[in-house]
Amino acid sequence: MDVTTQQVLSILFVLATVVLVYTARFLQSRAASRRRLRPMSAFERIPNWSSQAIEADRPLHLAFGSASIGEDNTATALANAELFHHIIEKNSAGDTPPALSTSAPTTVPLASAKVDAAWTGAGAELNVHWYPQGKRALGYAAGVTAVIGDDTPSAHILAGSFGAELGLILDSARRNRQGTLAVSDQLEGQAVAYAMADEVLIGEELFAAPAYVSDEGRAAADAIVMDVWRALLMILVTLALVLGVAGQLPWFSWQLLAVVVVVALVLGAILWTIQRRRDQ
């Protein structure tokens, strides 16, 4: 594929995304056309943890890990900040602001700004912990473990860039009987989160988080568009594999492929109708 073709495809992708986003936002703004988001148990636990933190007068612990501004995980840091903003805002009914931690110096002002902008409750003292240890450092895990012992958070939302050191944090939280939600943009950290955290997010689910923790219709529409692109990508990849294999088979024909596609569409429509009736 030459450079010109790549540029054309990129432009078409951007235009299609813009059209889908604004179409979804328009439909989501109409009460009769609103779609329910696909359920994620991880986000259903956050309101419970917030309520427990308010009742017990204990903070939530929100961790960026090594996600930072200006590096290859900038998108992760910004997505974390948006998620934490909504969590802090909804937790403002209490008297103890959440504790934020990071090992990236450029994330400290971002975390401080989120606390200042989102916290509207009493006692809005800055509670941001910085452990300058870099990526995949055990020093950061040791510092967070100290926070667990001193501040006794009600739960931990570890959304950012973590390596294998995430296991120490999750183990300490488990021993203190504190809830945990974890997601990492590093493969090692994601594996640890999947094995040890109470709740886990995978992949782009982090970028859909605002739709689940806020009441903004735009965020829900954006999450729906992400689901659409995910489904289309799965269909295209599967179709490419099928065509690549079928092209080498002597009995392959386009008529047979058309029949298979029609049957699949009919079955999909039936399953979608059944699921829609169950939701209603």
Side-chain angles (χ1 to χ4, degrees):
M1 184 181 296
D2 56 26
V3 177
T4 303
T5 304
Q6 291 180 350
Q7 292 176 345
V8 172
L9 291 177
S10 299
I11 293 173
L12 290 176
F13 175 77
V14 171
L15 291 176
T17 302
V18 171
V19 171
L20 285 174
V21 166
Y22 281 97
T23 301
R25 289 182 178 182
F26 172 75
L27 295 176
Q28 198 71 11
S29 63
R30 302 172 59 186
S33 303
R34 287 184 180 176
R35 277 194 54 192
R36 291 180 57 186
L37 297 172
R38 60 190 177 95
M40 292 188 191
S41 60
F43 294 119
E44 295 173 359
R45 296 285 296 275
I46 293 178
N48 296 332
W49 289 336
S50 296
S51 299
Q52 293 172 5
I54 293 172
E55 293 174 0
D57 196 20
R58 293 160 56 188
L60 288 173
H61 173 221
L62 313 177
F64 286 88
S66 60
S68 60
I69 303 298
E71 296 190 8
D72 54 357
N73 51 20
T74 298
T76 301
L78 294 176
N80 298 340
E82 185 68 15
L83 170 61
F84 293 163
H85 174 87
H86 293 293
I87 294 175
I88 295 171
E89 190 174 45
K90 291 184 178 296
N91 202 240
S92 294
D95 296 327
T96 304
L100 285 81
S101 66
T102 178
S103 64
T106 57
T107 310
V108 174
L110 177 63
S112 302
K114 287 301 175 182
V115 175
D116 293 337
W119 182 261
T120 58
E125 59 185 32
L126 193 62
N127 194 9
V128 178
H129 303 269
W130 174 44
Y131 305 101
Q133 298 295 329
K135 296 182 177 180
R136 302 180 179 88
L138 297 179
Y140 174 73
V144 172
T145 301
V147 172
I148 294 175
D150 296 339
D151 295 349
T152 59
S154 63
H156 305 265
I157 300 177
L158 311 164
S161 186
F162 302 91
E165 75 278 1
L166 181 61
L168 297 177
I169 303 174
L170 293 174
D171 180 68
S172 179
R174 178 175 297 180
R175 285 188 284 104
N176 286 274
R177 297 182 179 180
Q178 298 165 353
T180 53
L181 184 156
V183 57
S184 174
D185 62 359
Q186 299 179 33
L187 184 59
E188 299 92 339
Q190 186 63 48
V192 171
Y194 187 82
M196 298 183 63
D198 297 329
E199 301 291 344
V200 62
L201 299 177
I202 298 177
E204 79 290 343
E205 292 177 349
L206 172 63
F207 297 93
Y212 291 85
V213 296
S214 70
D215 300 325
E216 297 179 359
R218 294 185 305 171
D222 295 344
I224 292 172
V225 172
M226 291 178 63
D227 286 342
V228 170
W229 275 125
R230 183 191 300 107
L232 290 176
L233 181 61
M234 294 172 61
I235 292 173
L236 290 175
V237 171
T238 303
L239 185 61
L241 291 174
V242 170
L243 292 177
V245 173
Q248 303 176 5
L249 300 177
W251 48 265
F252 172 77
S253 66
W254 289 106
Q255 292 81 2
L256 177 61
L257 179 62
V259 172
V260 172
V261 170
V262 170
V263 172
L265 291 175
V266 171
L267 292 176
I270 294 173
L271 293 175
W272 180 82
T273 303
I274 294 174
Q275 184 64 38
R276 189 68 180 269
R277 290 181 178 179
R278 287 180 179 178
D279 293 339
Q280 294 175 351

